Amino acid sequence: EVVLTQSPATLSLSPGERATLSCRASQSVSYQLVWYQQKPGQAPRLLIYDVSRRATGIPARFSGSGSGTDFTLTISSLEPEDFAVYYCQQRSDWMTFGQGTRLEIK
Amino acid sequence: EGQLVESGGGLVEPGGSLRLSCAASGFSFNDAWMAWVRQSLGKGLEWVGRIKTTGTTEYAAPVRGRFTISRDDSKDVLYLQMNSLQIGDTAVYYCVRSLCGVDCPGYNWFDPWGQGTLVTVSS
């Protein structure tokens, strides 16, 4: 099973700042890495698939990068609605999720 | 982009059964691979299983032999029959559409997600 490790567990930033979230895979997942956002009481929402492809309606401030085992989700300038939990998921060897990074307001 | 609405969750004793339903709208359900993903405090997000347009199913190891996914394309409804439920099955269960890209058929990302339905297994 591919294990995804997200860091940090919690990230405290202010609106307007840049957020960088990391996801590391226990083995190469090539380009098959996905990101979701989850707000309290809601289902996860697809943000980015296959490393860097934004889903429909996702703002350009969200971007993804990486390959192989190391991936990054970047939010260029945080908006108030961006504070949430972010999960990565791999689809190279079945489908598994990371444990999440909580992005909180500083 | 589609909408998914789950129902059928609730409290069940260990060893019991429960059937979840998921009503789909806004996309061509009969052309879609569908899946269930669950979320618990202890295990986080976990893929449960999927069903292809052909009706072929695949399951995660923890539920294989106990859970069955089916679909009714005439009604645009997805089902999850859960038998021999265990305390560890306690979770919010999400219905999701499974997507893939140029590497189809293959493994998936998920969009959209239903709102989820809570299944609690407890005596």
Side-chain angles (χ1 to χ4, degrees):
Chain A
E1 175 180 305
V2 178
V3 176
L4 298 177
T5 302
Q6 293 188 239
S7 61
T10 302
L11 184 59
S12 299
L13 294 170
S14 300
E17 291 193 293
R18 181 184 188 90
T20 303
L21 288 68
S22 175
C23 177
R24 176 164 290 178
S26 60
Q27 64 191 64
S28 176
V29 299
S30 186
Y31 63 91
Q32 293 165 313
L33 196 285
V34 186
W35 291 95
Y36 301 91
Q37 176 194 67
Q38 186 176 32
K39 296 180 180 180
Q42 296 184 16
R45 176 177 74 143
L46 176 69
L47 291 177
I48 287 174
Y49 62 96
D50 288 355
V51 178
S52 60
R53 297 177 180 270
R54 278 190 302 275
T56 303
I58 301 303
R61 64 180 181 272
F62 291 91
S63 64
S65 61
S67 66
T69 60
D70 290 292
F71 301 89
T72 301
L73 174 69
T74 301
I75 310 171
S76 59
S77 178
L78 285 165
E79 297 288 340
E81 62 268 26
D82 298 338
F83 292 91
V85 179
Y86 292 84
Y87 294 96
C88 59
Q89 176 229 322
Q90 65 81 24
R91 64 178 199 91
S92 174
D93 181 11
W94 293 98
M95 291 143 287
T96 56
F97 294 84
Q99 83 283 10
T101 289
R102 179 177 306 278
L103 178 56
E104 65 176 26
I105 299 177
K106 187 173 181 180
Chain B
E1 288 298 314
Q3 185 177 9
L4 299 167
V5 178
E6 302 96 335
S7 60
L11 174 63
V12 61
E13 292 186 344
S17 298
L18 207 58
R19 188 176 85 155
L20 307 183
S21 299
C22 169
S25 60
F27 64 95
S28 179
F29 181 78
N30 61 330
D31 289 331
W33 289 19
M34 298 296 296
W36 292 92
V37 174
R38 66 186 181 183
Q39 185 173 31
S40 62
L41 284 176
K43 300 176 192 174
L45 288 163
E46 184 180 22
W47 176 78
V48 171
R50 69 181 179 185
I51 185 166
K52 302 178 181 180
T53 55
T54 57
T56 301
T57 53
E58 293 166 308
Y59 300 94
V63 307
R64 196 174 299 135
R66 301 187 298 122
F67 288 14
T68 301
I69 298 173
S70 61
R71 62 192 299 159
D72 185 339
D73 289 348
S74 68
K75 297 180 180 177
D76 291 354
V77 178
L78 179 72
Y79 300 101
L80 178 64
Q81 177 67 43
M82 303 183 291
N83 298 331
S84 303
L85 280 160
Q86 304 167 355
I87 290 175
D89 296 318
T90 295
V92 174
Y93 284 73
Y94 294 102
C95 169
V96 296
R97 182 176 58 174
S98 297
L99 298 169
C100 54
V102 295
D103 52 358
C104 283
Y107 303 122
N108 312 116
W109 67 86
F110 308 115
D111 182 54
W113 294 58
Q115 86 286 355
T117 188
L118 176 62
V119 173
T120 303
V121 184
S122 175
S123 54

